[in-house]
Amino acid sequence: VQLQASGGGLVQAGGSLKLSCALSGDILAYYHIGWFRQAPGKEREGISCISDTGSTKYYAESVKGRFIISRDNAKNTVYLQMSSLKPEDTAVYYCAADGGSPSYVCSNQGPPRFDDFWGRGTQVTVSS
């Protein structure tokens, strides 16, 4: 399984970006997908995830109300629509896939826990 995150770039504060995570080598519908980010000097943060069926979605408090995760299994792609971007959203964004128990990997009770597959990141820079 390979994951490719794309869609990052430079945007002004208040702007929007849409990230894509394309999965290859298997069927997306088998996997929960998570989005993570890591800013320089900070720990990696799990910001959102979506279960394999799409029935469960999680958002970290830092992005709740501004980011929307969605999936298109027919295109083997998961999206992260980011709006009202802030300078503190600047980070490298990664997507990950895991086929484990949804209650462990991606629930709305806590941050996502992904172990199986990770993609290369895409840089998001928000200027003030």
Side-chain angles (χ1 to χ4, degrees):
V1 171
Q2 291 187 328
L3 298 166
Q4 180 65 56
S6 61
L10 174 63
V11 64
Q12 288 188 333
S16 300
L17 282 174
K18 187 174 185 178
L19 304 184
S20 299
C21 175
L23 185 147
S24 60
D26 207 340
I27 298 172
L28 179 66
Y30 294 164
Y31 297 95
H32 320 297
I33 302 295
W35 283 100
F36 298 75
R37 67 185 183 187
Q38 188 164 21
K42 294 188 176 181
E43 292 188 356
R44 188 176 66 197
E45 177 187 14
I47 58 172
S48 185
C49 67
I50 186 168
S51 61
D52 52 356
T53 63
S55 60
T56 298
K57 299 177 183 179
Y58 166 87
Y59 299 98
E61 286 298 322
S62 57
V63 305
K64 194 174 291 184
R66 301 187 297 122
F67 291 10
I68 298 174
I69 192 169
S70 62
R71 64 190 296 150
D72 186 339
N73 286 346
K75 295 184 178 179
N76 257 27
T77 301
V78 171
Y79 305 98
L80 187 68
Q81 177 68 53
M82 306 187 298
S83 303
S84 302
L85 284 163
K86 306 174 182 179
E88 50 264 43
D89 293 318
T90 295
V92 178
Y93 285 69
Y94 301 87
C95 60
D98 198 300
S101 169
S103 61
Y104 177 82
V105 175
C106 178
S107 79
N108 50 23
Q109 302 302 312
R113 289 176 281 193
F114 281 68
D115 296 318
D116 287 352
F117 304 102
W118 288 80
R120 288 187 173 184
T122 185
Q123 176 71 45
V124 172
T125 303
V126 185
S127 62
S128 57

